[in-house]
Amino acid sequence: MLRPTLRQRVPQTQLLAQQAFATLERFLHIEAVSGIALLLAAVVALVWANSPYAHSYHTLWNVSLSIGIGSLAFSQSLHFLINDGLMTIFFLVVGMEIRREIREGALSERSQASLPIAAAVGGVIAPAAIFLALNPEPLRSQGWAVPTATDIAFAIGVLALLGRSIPRNVRVLLLALAIIDDVIAVLIIAFFYSGGLDIGGLAIAAFGVLMVLALQRIGVGSAYPYVLPGAVIWIGMLMSGAHPTLAGVVLGLMTPMQSIPMLERPVEIVSRVANELTTRHAEPMRNAEAIAQPLRQLRMANREMLPPAVRVQAALHPWVAYGIMPIFALANAGVTVGDIDLAAGQATFVMLGVALALVVGKPLGIVGTAWLMVRIGWCRLPPGVSWGGVCLIGLLAGIGFTMSIFIAMLAFADKELLVAAKLGVLIGSLLSALLGLGWGVRYVRGIRAQHS
């Protein structure tokens, strides 16, 4: 009698479930999908905030949530927990991306980093100048940094929609530029939008940093023990007057790019344990105690296959892309248009300043600075990147969204100016995406014509 194959022995429902989860996993790794999720969340927020149920939208985010033990209690609004709590995880991923790029990516070599750094700086100066030209009055000028940021998820997502004809180095250059934008945005938040720093809070944050260094020193490779010192750094940042999400950046930059030292290489451990399990334990269920130690070794080896910065970033990316960022968009993109008095010059100029700075200032600063650096011989275009590709990068960099809205909430205490800035971000980001798609289609046609 023929022995049934493995596929025959596995229930059909289990095979279908495995195929479904594999398909879902592939779907979630498509970069355009995260941008679409972010866009849908923003659309829902806008429709909700301008519907007859607008009051429920604003009421929801002001709901107070409390955590307490005995006399110790921490109470904050849902809006605070999203913007200052969940977004810390977003900044943690940003910090680890910066760490990777500095160690082995686009920022690791001066020759590779010079062009995106110069272009990113130009892409910050030009939008800020346009905004300040339209908003010289002190109250409005506080928003100069709002149009200087680039939303990586949206920009890369729109680029992915243009297909595989886009040269790889165009994507790499856009990613490098967006990451440098994030570095600049983090520095802007730290130096321009943090209050007077309290020494006591900074001391607590420094103690949290020492806790992280101590755990790394003794070789703790699991991410979970670092949650406590991370919380200490977050509390210290909050108490100091700096924005608490900067704790995520600090932790991300401290995440090692090398696995903890082991007596055997992880691959060798996996091979040895696999041999032990197959030769000595044919029936694992009857030898549970005997295989416990090899399985622990196997889990540790599996964990240490990738450096912590790569492993943690990969684990958090789906949660950030499909959870935290859409929730942030849902909580903050709900601009009630009726709250803006367009007859009043202040709000109108803030809205126009942000939108124009994103749509015009970003590509003007990036393309203009890149052209100047190449013209005087300080930089070179990467192989396969034409000036058409640089123009595409400049247009897509005008998609500010997440980081721009985040900075707007730090810049404006006045509700009307904040709403105007958010609306400017939404308008400018949408126009930049549409212009980027239009130019990208033309750019792809030109590439295909050259190869035909």
Side-chain angles (χ1 to χ4, degrees):
M1 184 175 178
L2 292 175
R3 187 178 180 181
T5 64
L6 178 62
R7 186 177 182 87
Q8 291 171 332
R9 292 199 301 270
V10 176
Q12 187 66 24
T13 53
Q14 183 177 342
L15 288 173
L16 290 174
Q18 290 174 351
Q19 292 172 0
F21 280 115
T23 302
L24 178 61
E25 186 175 5
R26 288 195 300 271
F27 178 74
L28 293 179
H29 277 82
I30 299 174
E31 290 166 326
V33 178
S34 62
I36 292 171
L38 203 56
L39 177 62
L40 289 175
V43 169
V44 170
L46 276 171
V47 172
W48 189 358
N50 291 279
S51 72
Y53 306 99
H55 179 71
S56 65
Y57 174 83
H58 297 291
T59 301
L60 172 63
W61 309 117
N62 289 318
V63 169
S64 180
L65 299 177
S66 300
I67 302 173
I69 301 175
S71 60
L72 297 175
F74 180 78
S75 181
Q76 289 289 348
S77 68
L78 180 58
H79 198 264
F80 174 89
L81 295 177
I82 292 170
N83 292 352
D84 295 62
L86 284 181
M87 285 298 285
T88 303
I89 302 175
F90 165 80
F91 278 97
L92 171 63
V93 173
V94 169
M96 285 187 286
E97 277 192 62
I98 295 170
R99 178 84 170 91
R100 287 183 62 186
E101 293 297 320
I102 292 174
R103 178 61 185 265
E104 58 185 25
L107 306 181
S108 60
E109 295 182 16
R110 182 179 176 182
S111 60
Q112 293 179 343
S114 56
L115 181 62
I117 288 175
V121 171
V124 168
I125 294 174
I130 289 175
F131 181 87
L132 288 172
L134 292 172
N135 297 277
E137 191 267 333
L139 185 63
R140 304 199 312 265
S141 66
Q142 295 176 0
W144 65 270
V146 174
T148 61
T150 297
D151 190 295
I152 295 178
F154 253 144
I156 296 295
V158 172
L159 189 67
L161 291 175
L162 294 171
R164 297 183 178 180
S165 297
I166 299 293
R168 180 182 178 274
N169 279 347
V170 170
R171 181 187 179 280
V172 171
L173 186 57
L174 174 60
L175 185 60
L177 189 144
I179 288 171
I180 296 164
D181 251 8
D182 279 343
V183 175
I184 297 173
V186 168
L187 293 175
I188 287 172
I189 292 170
F191 289 106
F192 295 96
Y193 294 111
S194 293
L197 299 180
D198 179 75
I199 299 299
L202 290 177
I204 293 173
F207 178 69
V209 170
L210 290 176
M211 292 172 67
V212 172
L213 293 174
L215 289 174
Q216 291 178 351
R217 180 78 176 181
I218 63 178
V220 176
S222 175
Y224 297 109
Y226 292 90
V227 173
L228 177 59
V232 172
I233 297 173
W234 187 89
I235 293 170
M237 289 289 189
L238 180 65
M239 293 175 61
S240 73
H243 203 274
T245 53
L246 294 175
V249 179
V250 172
L251 283 173
L253 292 174
M254 292 181 69
T255 307
M257 278 300 299
Q258 292 180 335
S259 300
I260 61 172
M262 303 179 72
L263 296 177
E264 293 179 88
R265 291 188 305 165
V267 175
E268 294 172 351
I269 294 175
V270 171
S271 178
R272 175 175 57 78
V273 172
N275 288 332
E276 288 180 6
L277 293 177
T278 53
T279 58
R280 295 170 51 193
H281 305 290
E283 299 182 27
M285 292 303 293
R286 297 182 182 179
N287 299 279
E289 294 183 4
I291 68 169
Q293 179 62 24
L295 287 180
R296 279 194 294 270
Q297 294 177 348
L298 194 61
R299 283 194 295 270
M300 179 176 288
N302 181 58
R303 186 188 70 199
E304 297 303 324
M305 284 281 191
L306 293 173
V310 178
R311 183 177 71 244
V312 177
Q313 184 184 359
L316 290 178
H317 178 264
W319 296 97
V320 170
Y322 302 103
I324 292 173
M325 291 179 69
I327 289 173
F328 174 83
L330 185 64
N332 294 284
V335 176
T336 303
V337 178
D339 290 343
I340 304 177
D341 183 8
L342 294 178
Q346 286 200 354
T348 304
F349 278 110
V350 168
M351 181 183 68
L352 289 175
V354 172
L356 282 175
L358 287 172
V359 176
V360 178
K362 268 292 186 181
L364 184 65
I366 289 169
V367 177
T369 304
W371 179 86
L372 180 62
M373 292 296 104
V374 172
R375 179 77 175 178
I376 62 180
W378 289 4
C379 301
R380 291 183 302 172
L381 290 181
V385 178
S386 64
W387 286 111
V390 176
C391 290
L392 175 61
I393 290 170
L395 290 169
L396 294 181
I399 305 174
F401 201 69
T402 306
M403 193 67 84
S404 292
I405 290 177
F406 190 86
I407 294 175
M409 291 186 298
L410 300 178
F412 294 113
D414 184 276
K415 181 182 177 182
E416 188 173 344
L417 295 183
L418 174 58
V419 171
K422 285 185 179 181
L423 188 57
V425 170
L426 295 174
I427 294 171
S429 297
L430 178 61
L431 288 176
S432 295
L434 292 175
L435 289 171
L437 276 174
W439 179 265
V441 170
R442 180 181 176 183
Y443 176 61
V444 168
R445 286 176 181 170
I447 292 174
R448 288 173 178 170
Q450 289 177 358
H451 290 92
S452 60

